[in-house]
Amino acid sequence: MPEGRSKAQQREETRRALIAEGRRRFAAAGYAAVGTVEVSAGAGVTKGALYHHFGSKLGLFRAVVEQVQHEVGERVAAAAEAESDPFEQLAAGCRAFLAAARDPEVQQVMLLDGPAVLGWNEWRRMDEESSARHLSESLADLVEQGAIAPRPVEPLARLLSGAMNEGALWLARSEQPERDLAAAWEVLRGLLESLRADR
């Protein structure tokens, strides 16, 4: 073991290397076309290390999806934080989520393979943990501030989340993503505007 690196650090480095290599391959070729031997070889570790850390190719893929979802959540948060008006924060975050569907890695890993490989219920659970909860919190704050008209937050959050997920899935398959993103955002912005308390 090189001096200064503990076993825990080595384990974490191996895990990161496997996730990075798995992500690269899953994004480029799709889940079904990727094998554990090529991932472990590309990461410079044994296939046994992959199984030790993730249990299976599916376990590795789940970790990759979690990473991609987390990064999309960070993009959404950054876009929202760039705005000072609370309603515009919501709008900017929603647009950033739709825009993420143009990213090839997000398309293949999170939107196309994610629901198909993990199953809809598991994919939704992960989405809930990474972003849907923040949407609910944002909507609750806007209702409390009087920026949007009082209404039940839970069904509103789920309906908006469903609309955005469907929009993102549609954009992931689009042959004209810029045009379709503009069209999807025009419709979504109209839906969000309809929630304003001062309408």
Side-chain angles (χ1 to χ4, degrees):
M1 183 192 311
E3 189 175 349
R5 288 173 63 217
S6 68
K7 287 185 177 180
Q9 288 172 320
Q10 284 185 314
R11 284 194 297 270
E12 183 56 30
E13 287 171 12
T14 298
R15 179 180 170 83
R16 282 200 303 265
L18 284 164
I19 290 175
E21 184 66 14
R23 178 173 177 164
R24 185 180 73 79
R25 291 182 180 271
F26 291 138
Y31 177 83
V34 175
T36 55
V37 172
E38 60 194 289
V39 172
S40 54
V45 300
T46 65
K47 190 168 78 166
L50 186 153
Y51 283 94
H52 172 73
H53 284 278
F54 300 101
S56 63
K57 182 175 93 166
L58 179 62
L60 173 62
F61 180 71
R62 184 179 290 109
V64 170
V65 173
E66 285 176 351
Q67 185 182 74
V68 174
Q69 285 184 323
H70 177 74
E71 289 174 8
V72 170
E74 288 183 332
R75 290 189 214 177
V76 168
E81 288 167 6
E83 301 291 335
S84 56
D85 177 76
F87 186 87
E88 292 305 324
Q89 289 177 342
L90 171 68
C94 290
R95 190 184 188 288
F97 180 83
L98 284 183
R102 296 176 302 172
D103 183 320
E105 282 192 338
V106 173
Q107 288 176 2
Q108 187 64 51
V109 171
M110 189 177 106
L111 298 173
L112 300 179
D113 279 345
V117 173
L118 299 174
W120 182 251
N121 288 338
E122 175 71 1
W123 187 84
R124 280 291 297 126
R125 182 193 64 74
M126 293 169 68
D127 177 64
E128 181 79 23
E129 292 175 358
S130 65
S131 61
R133 176 172 48 86
H134 300 297
L135 177 62
S136 295
E137 291 169 357
S138 177
L139 290 168
D141 288 344
L142 288 169
V143 169
E144 187 176 334
Q145 295 164 17
I148 64 176
R151 64 193 71 220
V153 169
E154 182 74 11
L156 176 59
R158 292 192 177 275
L159 288 166
L160 277 178
S161 178
M164 287 190 289
N165 280 330
E166 281 298 315
L169 288 166
W170 175 64
L171 288 168
R173 294 177 171 88
S174 172
E175 294 181 0
Q176 294 183 286
E178 293 302 322
R179 181 202 68 183
D180 290 342
L181 173 60
W185 173 238
E186 180 182 355
V187 173
L188 181 58
R189 178 78 200 204
L191 289 173
L192 295 174
E193 288 291 338
S194 73
L195 302 174
R196 282 188 182 272
D198 57 2
R199 278 180 61 84

